[in-house]
Amino acid sequence: MSQYFATMNQRGVGADYDHSVIWVTVLLLALGLVMVYSASIASAEASRATGNNTMYYLIRHAIFVLVSLFAAAMVFQVPIRVWQPAAPFLFLAGLGLLALVLVPGIGREVNGSRRWLSLFVINLQPSELMKIAAVLYAADYTVRKAAFMHSLRKGFMPMFGVMLLTGGLLLREPDFGAFAVITVIAMGIMFLGGMNWRLFAGLIVMLLIGFLLLIWTSPYRMQRVIGFMDPWADPYGKGYQLSHALIAFGRGEWFGVGLGASVEKLFYLPEAHTDFLLAVIAEELGFVGVLTIVLLFSWLVWRAFAIGRRATELERPFAALVAQGIGLWIGVQAIINMGVNMGVLPTKGLTLPLLSFGGSAILATCCALAILMRIDWENRQLARGFTI
């Protein structure tokens, strides 16, 4: 057996991948398990829907993680050359699922938002899977249209039209957070793929104006912005979530009040095990715990861009843009979630990747990281002269 593994290593198989990405992912998933249990134990015990089982969310989250890791192992087996021709079809399938969510009787509504498809045992959130499809499609589009990246009509406008369609479906749910992340993914990949910087700067201005109009014309988004600007003006209304998140951060100080000792998770802080998990982490583990998470995500994003840069050196433009797109996705979503928890950004329904409770989000992120690992593995095989 030992001779077999030695032979595999000599052929460039075996441990030819970035161990740090694996370990950072495992650490974030493990920390997520612990903190989801800590943040949800009180609400699970008090809810009839959970059967008053304190371990309800822990068990479901653990199942989500195991299923996601199994799916990631399967995704890793798929060569990158297979993903490129499949990208447009996966994107169309994603659009179909987003449209299906809006069909009465099929899409499931929770807290005023219709974002889920009921699969009996679990609820599938298509917008999470759409993030993978957006990365693959934007990378494929940019490679195919490389000669027109300086053209407004041939390079930018077709993608702009696709993003308008995607945004229209997401805003009908509504899911402004997913729309923002997918927009950043698509535009970021096009910029990295060679879009004219003047065109890109104009695009940023247009997007900012568009986002401001979306906020201005939507009463509930405007209320969120008002609550974000001064949460203490209405701490029991518009500023309720943010004010309690800030209290959690304040209580945590340097080293936290101790694992399991959070007060804010005891029915004060809404969505403590999902969107506002970082606030519970800040309260229980303090500044040190939050800094550790920031460093872990920073490392993951840096490695994604490093893997993409290596793919560029090996003349693999599609693989390079996919790797960098995955880094953009994880980095931007983590920044938005952290910003919301810390009161730097208005409240949005975005989870913290790999940490927050939510099966679709964990599944999509693990599969994306599996694709990233596959790109890294193929880079190393090509660098050693092996075919893939």
Side-chain angles (χ1 to χ4, degrees), residues 165-216:
L165 175 60
T166 306
L169 291 172
L170 287 169
L171 292 175
R172 286 288 303 277
E173 296 183 2
D175 195 346
F176 187 77
F179 176 47
V181 172
I182 289 173
T183 300
V184 170
I185 289 171
M187 298 301 105
I189 287 176
M190 290 182 69
F191 177 71
L192 293 168
M195 178 187 283
N196 183 284
W197 71 269
R198 292 186 181 86
L199 189 60
F200 185 75
L203 170 62
I204 296 297
V205 173
M206 288 173 59
L207 286 174
L208 288 175
I209 294 172
F211 283 139
L212 289 174
L213 287 174
L214 285 171
I215 293 170
W216 185 264

Side-chain angles (χ1 to χ4, degrees), residues 80-93:
I80 299 303
R81 65 176 181 274
V82 174
W83 291 110
Q84 186 167 4
F89 301 102
L90 291 174
F91 192 79
L92 287 173

Side-chain angles (χ1 to χ4, degrees), residues 247-259:
I247 290 170
F249 272 87
R251 291 192 76 243
E253 298 185 350
W254 286 98
F255 299 102
V257 296
L259 185 62

Side-chain angles (χ1 to χ4, degrees), residues 11 26 52-53 74 115-116 122 200 212 215 234 252-253 277 304 318 343 374:
R11 291 178 56 194
V26 169
N52 305 114
N53 182 1
M74 297 299 100
R115 302 177 184 175
W116 295 268
I122 61 171
F200 185 75
L212 289 174
I215 293 170
D234 188 10
E253 298 185 350
L277 184 67
F318 174 74
R374 178 72 193 197

Side-chain angles (χ1 to χ4, degrees), residues 7 55 69 72 74 89 122 126 141 144 149 163-164 166 182 203 246 314 371:
T7 304
M55 300 183 69
L69 290 175
M74 297 299 100
F89 301 102
I122 61 171
Y141 177 88
R144 285 189 287 109
M149 280 294 103
M163 286 298 105
L164 279 181
T166 306
I182 289 173
L203 170 62
L246 294 176
L314 294 169
I371 294 174

